[in-house]
Amino acid sequence: MHVNLRVWRQAGPKAEGHFEDYAVDEVSPDMSFLELFDVLNEQLLADGVEPVAFDHDCREGICGSCSMMINGQAHGPERGTATCQLHMRKFEDGAHITVEPWRARSFPIVKDLAVDRGALDRIVEAGGYITVRTGSAPEANLTPIPKEVADWAMDAAACIGCGACVAACPNGAAQLFTAAKVSHLNLLPQGQSERYERVANMVDTMEEYFGSCTLHRECEAACPKEISIDFIAMMNRDYVKAQFKNRRLIAQK
Amino acid sequence: MTIQEVSTASQKAGADDADRLVKDTGAPVPVKKRSGGPWPVHFWRSAVGKKWVMAVTGIMLLGFVLVHMIGNLKIYLGPGEINDYGEWLRRILVPALPRTVFLWILRGGLIAAFFFHIAAAYQLTRMNHAARPVKYQGGRNYVAADFASRTMRWTGIIIGLFLIYHLADFTWGTLNPDFVRGDPYGNMVHSFDKWYIAAIYIVANLALGLHIFHGAWAMFNSLGLNNPAYNRARRYFAIGFAALITIGNVSIPIAVLTGAVS
């Protein structure tokens, strides 16, 4: 295979960026999109050009490091996959592929295709945990959880925090990320005691950095874990409830 | 435009290039200040709260357009019916209240609903534009966002401008040389007889239909009404509501233009 890449090059956070065209020959259809960039970088090194900086780590779709806007779609054209799991067989021979970094005010470009997604960590710090003393693992059957609830919580917990939802959102909103991080705890018994505090703090922090939801559903389509926007509805409801809830009575049903 | 981007990078030590560059992006600078104040103010200041207000005011406005359309359809029953209906609106709760008082209470609610709906839309749009100051330089390829969702701001503006014209045409009569107060039947026939005025009404109602198609679906999510039992029905509700309002309203100028109503 042969592909024509148009890649965003930017020397640093404050530098002016631009697109650069590169042709890559001898691309195997079995290569991942990141491996295409490995080949490109080898080629650039041989030519004495600085290689393209891009984020990557596990390369098996679970770490959330890779982050490329491929032909105007976060993580490229294939549904339910991160860039690392996107294979070149999804493209035609001689394809023209434009690659640029995630763009959002709170995702500043570090270099080339690498962006700083620290703002997502600020949201998790605001409540994406439960406050318990950890010791030895508790008895698993002590807290019965219906299978449907456990499955649904796990669907939210599948979020790898890659930021594709923000990148894909026309409003630059982080609702799907935040909703997933709120919901996987708010759905379970262990998350109940901090449920309303969690949602209020995480949403307020999210809004310090990101836009708002207008239900375009681009996030859901871009998410490599196919997390449902139903979690956003749940977060919205819990946020509204958090405004009215008398938290002293939270232990009462 | 100067491009200002913010970073929340911690000052962790790192040997490679990227980590050194991350430090250059600076200290954490939130885009928006954390909202404070007593609860109604705090709630309004949050985007989730504004969307909730948009949904609630949207429901009020949906109720209004539905009742308004049903009233409009009385034109098919002849001048007597629709003109009597117009007078009845002014006489609701008479004699408990003087004439038109209850109508003004309804109008007050309507004006408040429009105000909060538009104020929230304006502020959220500003917030969303600030969240991505630099657009995608290579363009976007939308896969899920539909035409209606991406044109909400434009259909909203069209409806707002139309509303002002509509009031000037049929309520104040300032833009209507043939205006006769208390004769909605005659006013409608005289206005819609002119093709260009009929066209304004048809275009505005198509915009309203698109706006409702997205809004009447999205409001369920903004309110957090989500249940697998009825999630599918939300889309049908929005399609049905949008179709009903559009067809009902657009039929009237067409009926006048074609001479079915005269």
Side-chain angles (χ1 to χ4, degrees), chain A residues 14 72-73 100 103 105 108 116 118-119 122 166-169 205 207-208 212-216 218 230 233 236, chain B residues 6-8 24 31-32 34 47-48 51 128 130-132 135-138 140-141 143-145 149 214 221 224 226:
Chain A
K14 297 191 173 81
Q73 280 178 253
E100 68 177 304
R103 292 203 187 267
R105 190 174 188 269
D116 177 2
R122 303 293 91 77
V166 178
C169 178
T205 306
E207 291 182 357
E208 288 179 30
S212 83
C213 178
T214 53
L215 278 304
H216 288 296
E218 284 292 327
D230 290 355
N236 290 343
Chain B
V6 292
S7 168
T8 64
D24 290 346
V31 176
K32 173 175 164 277
R34 185 172 279 254
V48 171
K51 286 295 289 188
N128 295 341
R132 180 172 293 134
K135 305 280 168 235
Y136 283 102
Q137 304 297 300
R140 274 302 310 272
N141 186 359
V143 289
S149 77
H214 182 68
N221 258 289
N226 186 295

Side-chain angles (χ1 to χ4, degrees), chain A residues 203-210, chain B residues 32 45-48 127:
Chain A
V203 168
D204 288 346
T205 306
M206 167 186 83
E207 291 182 357
E208 288 179 30
Y209 296 101
F210 297 101
Chain B
K32 173 175 164 277
R45 281 181 181 162
S46 80
V48 171
M127 177 184 177

Side-chain angles (χ1 to χ4, degrees), chain B residues 79-234:
Chain B
E81 284 274 348
I82 192 164
N83 291 358
D84 285 352
Y85 170 68
E87 180 54 27
W88 172 79
L89 283 178
R90 296 183 182 87
R91 300 195 64 88
I92 305 174
L93 290 189
V94 172
L97 289 172
R99 191 173 171 274
T100 75
V101 168
F102 189 73
L103 184 63
W104 272 107
I105 292 171
L106 290 178
R107 282 171 174 169
L110 201 55
I111 291 165
F114 269 113
F115 174 80
F116 284 109
H117 199 76
I118 293 167
Y122 172 76
Q123 292 180 2
L124 290 171
T125 301
R126 291 281 305 262
M127 177 184 177
N128 295 341
H129 286 170
R132 180 172 293 134
V134 182
K135 305 280 168 235
Y136 283 102
Q137 304 297 300
R140 274 302 310 272
N141 186 359
Y142 292 112
V143 289
D146 52 35
F147 180 74
S149 77
R150 284 188 287 124
T151 53
M152 284 302 271
R153 283 156 201 159
W154 298 112
T155 51
I157 289 168
I158 291 170
I159 295 163
L161 293 174
F162 165 74
L163 179 68
I164 296 167
Y165 172 75
H166 183 45
L167 288 170
D169 189 17
F170 286 153
T171 304
W172 309 320
T174 40
L175 284 177
N176 187 345
D178 307 317
F179 182 70
V180 179
R181 191 169 293 278
D183 180 23
Y185 187 91
N187 291 336
M188 280 157 93
V189 169
H190 280 123
S191 274
F192 297 153
D193 253 343
K194 304 174 189 93
W195 67 268
Y196 49 91
I197 291 179
I200 291 173
Y201 278 82
I202 290 168
V203 169
N205 274 290
L206 292 175
L208 178 64
L210 271 177
H211 203 78
I212 292 173
F213 172 79
H214 182 68
W217 169 79
M219 67 184 190
F220 291 102
N221 258 289
S222 300
L223 293 172
L225 297 175
N226 186 295
N227 184 333
Y230 60 71
N231 276 354
R232 197 182 279 266
R234 299 177 304 179

